[in-house]
Amino acid sequence: MRMETPEEKQQKKPLTEQEALRKLAALCAKGEHCTGEMLTKMERWGLDEGQQASVMAKLVEGKYVDDERFCRLFIHDKMKFDKWGRRKIEQALWQKRIDPALIKATLDDIDDAEYIAILHPLLQAKQKSIKAQSDYERNMKLIRYALGRGFTFDIIRQCIDNADDYEEQ
């Protein structure tokens, strides 16, 4: 893909409000998107703040963009398919400019048992590939691995401390 030169970018006329609305509505029809992503696109297209607000109001009114719906689906997908923990999901949503109160409320709806159900098999699989000379060293490597996946320390400790209970089941 060829990059545009600054001269080519200046020669392009900026999108009108109607063109931006049409493009964004088509994009939202293909997949779930949040307000932050839409605003970033409009900024890149050169729309001023008034036009951005108008387009966003129409997208929200038409239910093309709903940050709460986006947040719930994003969390579900990241937990189920990518096996992410709370902290990593929280950071990704923050980068997408989702309201922190909405992030907290949505993440608080998730029971610790769901995180444990995701983390425990990850730790079991990781444990097989870890080379450690003591239980302490093995546990530290497991903790570092789980923290990197975004799980909170209390959930990690719970999984490591109760590993024997899970193996009996």
Side-chain angles (χ1 to χ4, degrees):
M1 189 163 109
R2 190 176 80 76
M3 298 293 291
E4 291 181 6
T5 65
E7 293 82 26
E8 290 174 325
K9 285 183 182 179
Q10 284 180 345
Q11 288 174 354
K12 278 188 178 182
K13 65 176 187 162
L15 287 179
T16 66
E17 194 174 311
Q18 287 303 316
E19 290 171 328
L21 178 61
R22 185 181 43 76
K23 279 181 126 178
L24 293 176
L27 181 66
C28 290
K30 293 178 186 174
E32 201 62 47
H33 294 279
C34 66
T35 305
E37 292 170 336
M38 300 295 103
L39 291 172
T40 301
K41 285 195 176 299
M42 287 189 281
E43 287 167 6
R44 213 173 328 130
W45 293 340
L47 271 67
D48 65 47
E49 287 185 19
Q51 291 173 315
Q52 290 178 27
S54 175
V55 170
M56 278 312 305
K58 290 173 184 168
L59 289 172
V60 170
E61 183 181 307
K63 302 241 187 272
Y64 287 102
V65 175
D66 181 347
D67 281 351
E68 184 175 351
R69 181 179 66 209
F70 173 83
C71 205
R72 290 190 186 289
L73 292 170
F74 185 87
I75 290 168
H76 175 267
D77 286 355
K78 292 303 177 187
M79 285 178 67
K80 182 174 182 175
F81 300 115
D82 296 336
K83 310 293 188 218
W84 283 9
R86 177 186 177 94
R87 295 290 170 234
K88 194 166 185 173
I89 293 170
E90 189 174 26
Q91 185 175 24
L93 288 170
W94 179 83
Q95 288 178 327
K96 291 185 176 289
R97 299 197 269 182
I98 301 290
D99 178 29
L102 178 60
I103 295 171
K104 183 180 178 348
T106 310
L107 285 171
D108 286 348
D109 287 346
I110 300 168
D111 188 34
D112 285 353
E114 290 183 59
Y115 288 117
I116 290 171
I118 292 167
L119 180 59
H120 183 69
L122 283 175
L123 291 178
Q124 279 185 320
K126 184 67 177 174
Q127 188 170 352
K128 293 174 186 172
S129 67
I130 289 178
K131 292 176 178 38
Q133 296 186 5
S134 67
D135 285 345
Y136 175 79
E137 184 181 352
R138 178 182 47 83
N139 287 345
M140 288 299 106
K141 288 182 178 186
L142 288 173
I143 289 169
R144 216 175 7 254
Y145 169 75
L147 286 171
R149 298 212 48 103
F151 289 92
T152 56
F153 190 73
D154 57 325
I155 299 292
I156 298 167
R157 278 291 354 150
Q158 210 172 333
C159 279
I160 290 175
D161 291 345
N162 298 328
D164 297 334
D165 296 344
Y166 294 115
E167 289 171 10
E168 291 171 7
Q169 295 177 352

